[in-house]
Amino acid sequence: MNKLSLYTTKNYSLNFDIKKRKPKQIKFLIFHYTGMKNEKNSIDRLLGYKSKVSCHYFIKSNGKILTIVPDLYVAWHAGISSWKNYKFLNKNSIGIEINNPGHNFKYKKFSKKQINSIIKLSKLLIKKYNIKNSNVLGHSDIAPDRKKDPGEKFPWKYLSKNNIGFWHDLASSYLLNKRNIKINNIEKKKFIKNLCKIGYPMNKNIKSNKYSKMITKAFQRRFRQELINGIIDQECLIISKNLTKKLNKFS
Ligand SMILES: [Zn+2]
């Protein structure tokens, strides 16, 4: 077996664009959870006509990986979404669904076997398509108004230690002292600006409290997983600053 191959079971979906894409169009890796109680039902949903949804890979609770749509066909997993200047990310991404009942049905920790498979598969795809670590994202990052997946139990920090995705480089003890400490309105604006620089979708409602709360929650699910309250505090601001600087260095 060569280095860029990994054993997966083929279990193809009917839901994909007929037109094949070029490997260089693949720029993003997007993680999801299934959000359903039952694993088999989630797989069936991704395969059948009616749902109009699919993904490229499915990671079962026992760590087994299914290929649902081959990489060079566009799968239907992201929906209305954006990141930086990219819109409707299906055409530029690979979607990975991970079995987990999600927030509506007793959200669970991802299993060790799932995490090991996520690491193996991601490493392979990142290398094969030359995907930037800053383009490894969750569904809630690119569609924060609609989605919570893969959620605050997704091991982003651990993945970043394995060179998958990105994380800040601040000590948790330092950050804990900044948690729940209020900031002023200018600092709040600064935070939202940082999120925009990182890549989070911004729109005309950017100044509304509702939008700010929603985008803050998406940020917290990703980078401050211990407390998801939609309130911008000093800890959130500091993390956003650190990430902005780090990502600037990358590009
Ligand atoms: Zn999703």
Side-chain angles (χ1 to χ4, degrees):
M1 236 175 20
N2 83 38
K3 253 190 168 171
L4 286 181
S5 66
L6 181 73
Y7 180 76
T8 75
T9 305
K10 291 176 180 54
N11 204 346
Y12 291 148
S13 172
L14 298 166
N15 306 321
F16 60 94
D17 292 356
I18 302 291
K19 196 170 175 274
K20 215 171 172 180
R21 60 181 169 182
K22 297 202 168 68
K24 67 170 188 217
Q25 285 176 271
I26 299 172
K27 295 186 185 304
F28 293 88
L29 203 57
I30 309 293
F31 293 109
H32 303 260
Y33 66 48
T34 51
M36 286 171 74
K37 280 183 193 162
N38 178 291
E39 184 171 86
K40 190 181 176 298
N41 292 350
S42 324
I43 297 169
D44 288 344
R45 181 161 184 269
L46 293 163
L47 303 182
Y49 263 134
K50 272 192 189 159
S51 70
K52 304 235 180 296
V53 295
S54 60
C55 61
H56 293 93
Y57 298 95
F58 185 98
I59 299 181
K60 294 171 72 168
S61 291
N62 65 9
K64 284 218 168 104
I65 305 172
L66 308 179
T67 301
I68 306 283
V69 172
D71 296 353
L72 295 185
Y73 291 92
V74 172
W76 304 341
H77 60 96
I80 297 169
S81 51
S82 78
W83 190 259
K84 291 180 192 153
N85 298 325
Y86 289 85
K87 289 203 160 47
F88 297 99
L89 268 72
N90 280 342
K91 57 185 184 298
N92 296 111
S93 66
I94 288 195
I96 300 176
E97 281 281 357
I98 306 151
N99 187 54
N100 189 307
H103 292 89
N104 289 342
F105 305 104
K106 290 191 186 155
Y107 185 37
K108 286 203 291 208
K109 270 175 94 174
F110 294 91
S111 76
K112 275 244 162 64
K113 284 178 176 165
Q114 283 179 319
I115 294 169
N116 288 337
S117 295
I118 292 167
I119 290 176
K120 273 191 211 153
L121 178 63
S122 304
K123 279 193 171 174
L124 183 144
L125 294 169
I126 287 169
K127 195 167 177 193
K128 191 167 182 179
Y129 300 110
N130 203 10
I131 296 171
K132 287 186 196 164
N133 269 332
S134 54
N135 283 351
V136 177
L137 305 168
H139 202 183
S140 64
D141 292 324
I142 61 170
D145 50 339
R146 303 185 296 118
K147 297 291 175 182
K148 293 181 184 165
D149 63 317
E152 62 276 13
K153 294 186 198 295
F154 193 74
W156 287 112
K157 186 178 178 182
Y158 182 64
L159 292 191
S160 77
K161 284 184 186 152
N162 285 278
N163 266 322
I164 300 161
F166 59 104
W167 193 255
H168 59 75
D169 39 28
L170 302 161
S172 9
S173 53
Y174 165 75
L175 286 175
L176 199 54
N177 286 321
K178 312 287 179 190
R179 190 168 299 166
N180 288 322
I181 295 187
K182 282 189 180 156
I183 59 173
N184 63 38
N185 282 337
I186 296 169
E187 290 171 311
K188 281 181 188 164
K189 275 186 196 152
K190 187 91 212 294
F191 171 79
I192 298 286
K193 229 180 176 175
N194 288 342
L195 262 53
C196 188
K197 281 187 199 158
I198 293 167
Y200 279 93
M202 295 295 153
N203 66 22
K204 57 181 190 325
N205 302 321
I206 181 169
K207 286 188 177 145
S208 79
N209 281 338
K210 202 177 156 206
Y211 194 83
S212 147
K213 192 161 186 172
M214 184 262 306
I215 200 99
T216 302
K217 274 191 179 172
F219 175 86
Q220 291 170 340
R221 278 187 214 291
R222 170 82 192 242
F223 297 108
R224 207 275 297 274
Q225 298 182 317
E226 300 88 345
L227 179 63
I228 320 295
N229 59 4
I231 298 168
I232 311 166
D233 59 14
Q234 219 170 82
E235 184 183 22
C236 294
L237 177 64
I238 289 168
I239 296 172
S240 74
K241 240 187 234 169
N242 181 274
L243 290 170
T244 315
K245 264 195 212 151
K246 249 185 121 167
L247 293 171
N248 246 336
K249 264 188 239 161
F250 283 157
S251 54

